[in-house]
Amino acid sequence: MTRDEIRDRVLTIFAEEFEIVGPGLDDDLREAHGFDSIDAIELLREIEDMLGFELSQEQKKRAMDNIRTLNQILDYIAGLAPEPA
Amino acid sequence: MERRVVITAASAISPIGHTRDEILHSLQNGVSGVQPLRDDGLLSDHIHSQVFGTVSADIPFDFERKYRKTMGPVAFYACQVVKEVVEQAGLSPEQLGSGRLGVAFGSTHGSPTVQRGIYETFFSKSGKRFASIGAVDYLKSMVHTTAVNITKMFGITGRVISSSTACTTSSQSIGFGYEMIRYGMQDAMICGGADEYDTTTVAVFDNLLACSTAFNDTPSKTPRPFDADRDGLVVGEGAGAVLLEDYESARHRGADILGEVVGFGCNNNGGDLIFPNVDGITATLKIALADARLDPGDVDFISAHATATKMGDVIESQAIRNVFGETTPMVSGLKSYMGHTMGSCGAIETILSLYMMAEGFVAPTLNLDSIDPRCAMIRHTPGLADYPLKVVGVQNFAFGGVNTCLLIRKM
């Protein structure tokens, strides 16, 4: 998937699952949209569905610790996208 | 310190209506909320009892997603009745977040609908079964889901009590809330209970041969508390919430006072977990009267637990007779209108009693066509009648041998 395709998929998830429509790519999602840790866990599940494989606990913890914006989410997914060895 | 405790707001979602007017209309016109059991694609075909006390009101739950995301159906009911209570009372965010207002709210077992979804993942052949358990499924289904979704939605920072004692869940909520205020631990408590549409509860009682099965084609004819032809309980759904306040602060803010909680009795039979116990129930009623410092003759009306099981109604009648003697208060079994709304029944039956107290009438037990001679030693409400109610008793008994009695006085 290209970054644009991933962005479109993630924006669709945000609109349909979290009722967050058209967020800025660098918005602090918690501050600007009330996107909390429960939502982040749900998003990871959606990402697993999107990628078609299960993320490891370490991969998930890294996301929970570091990600605040949509651009960071896109970077994170891009880093996961290559098939795991 | 012993303070007086008053009820200043009330709201119910019940099988006989959602608004006060709808519920009063049903009580005054003998309207039943019992309907055919819906097909749930799982258990309904195997259950002998094909009736259910069903909420049919169209309720627009306009909660924001940040609240909805941790709510199963039971919490939607709970938060809706509490929202209405908060609006009725005009409680400010400052009062709600003062730490002096708490919540006593429960359900029979959280959200069985959400629990069913969790169990399904364990039996799924899909490889992603663990990932498919949602992050919020526990928050939606846990036993205290109603209480803490309420605290979240309304920013409540006081005490949380979440009784989960089956049929005494919400009568305990009101009783424990009353004690919190009476003894000065809190100044106000939002109290109640809720239970959602659930066929597993029907299956449990069905397996115990406790459900009504003879009126599947005529749902409104069952349950039949105290009637010779009663054949068991009808499971139902619903929610009820009341706001309890310290009398002095309620008076100070000019609140409408719907009634005063003057007594609460609660005990356990100390034995069998299923069968009601006449000694245990008799003791409960006496504890409540002593707590209220009332004589038996002061009570005008009893909302009986009266589930319409063969033995439960007889034993409750015996206990009433034991305590009140030959001239008992008028007795009605309000479940005859709605079925057994489980964790919400104590709160809903309290609210119906408050409505009747305010309007000055009593509703008779529906479907009581021929009184069982073993239940005939108490004074059954003879028919719909204007009647000034001063003191009302609300009785509830649960699996596990838990008994409660609330006494409420008109002010």
Side-chain angles (χ1 to χ4, degrees), chain B residues 162-386:
Chain B
S162 193
S163 292
S164 181
T165 54
C167 319
T168 50
T169 294
S170 58
S171 54
Q172 281 198 325
S173 294
I174 297 172
F176 294 158
Y178 151 77
E179 291 176 344
M180 280 291 113
I181 299 168
R182 187 175 192 195
Y183 298 112
M185 308 303 290
Q186 298 275 267
D187 296 330
M189 291 289 291
I190 293 172
C191 306
D195 261 317
E196 67 194 41
Y197 195 97
D198 173 38
T199 47
T200 50
T201 309
V202 187
V204 167
F205 286 105
D206 203 61
N207 281 341
L208 292 167
L209 309 177
C211 275
S212 173
T213 57
F215 300 90
N216 289 343
D217 296 330
T218 52
S220 66
K221 296 297 178 192
T222 190
R224 310 175 64 84
F226 305 117
D227 188 82
D229 292 331
R230 71 187 179 284
D231 72 328
L233 62 83
V234 174
V235 177
E237 61 176 329
V242 293
L243 175 65
L244 304 187
E245 289 185 71
D246 159 48
Y247 169 59
E248 290 302 330
S249 49
R251 196 178 60 157
H252 186 253
R253 72 177 186 89
D256 285 338
I257 293 175
L258 309 179
E260 177 179 9
V261 183
V262 289
F264 176 53
C266 180
N267 68 352
N268 195 274
N269 295 330
D272 198 280
L273 297 188
I274 292 181
F275 288 107
N277 179 303
V278 69
D279 293 335
I281 295 172
T282 301
T284 314
L285 309 189
K286 287 181 175 173
I287 292 167
L289 285 167
D291 186 49
R293 300 182 183 96
L294 290 175
D295 293 323
D298 295 327
V299 180
D300 304 303
F301 173 74
I302 290 173
S303 164
H305 188 55
T307 60
T309 56
K310 284 286 178 202
M311 283 315 297
D313 291 5
V314 173
I315 286 172
E316 185 169 14
S317 300
Q318 289 170 346
I320 291 170
R321 177 63 178 249
N322 284 348
V323 174
F324 293 94
E326 284 189 16
T327 311
T328 74
M330 276 201 284
V331 178
S332 292
L334 298 172
K335 289 181 180 69
S336 57
Y337 293 81
M338 312 176 279
H340 189 332
T341 59
M342 295 288 133
S344 62
C345 76
I348 290 178
E349 287 155 21
T350 295
I351 292 165
L352 266 50
S353 298
L354 287 169
Y355 290 168
M356 291 192 288
M357 191 182 266
E359 298 296 320
F361 80 96
V362 284
T365 302
L366 206 59
N367 298 322
L368 182 49
D369 297 334
S370 172
I371 297 170
D372 180 341
R374 295 173 301 167
C375 304
M377 70 294 233
I378 59 174
R379 189 156 60 113
H380 293 281
T381 305
L384 184 70
D386 287 339

Side-chain angles (χ1 to χ4, degrees), chain A residues 17 19 36 38-39 42 45, chain B residues 65 68-69 131-132 135-136:
Chain A
E17 299 299 322
E19 297 178 13
D36 62 15
I38 290 172
D39 296 326
E42 289 288 338
R45 194 163 69 128
Chain B
R65 181 186 172 273
R68 291 200 317 267
K69 70 185 179 188
S132 62
V136 290

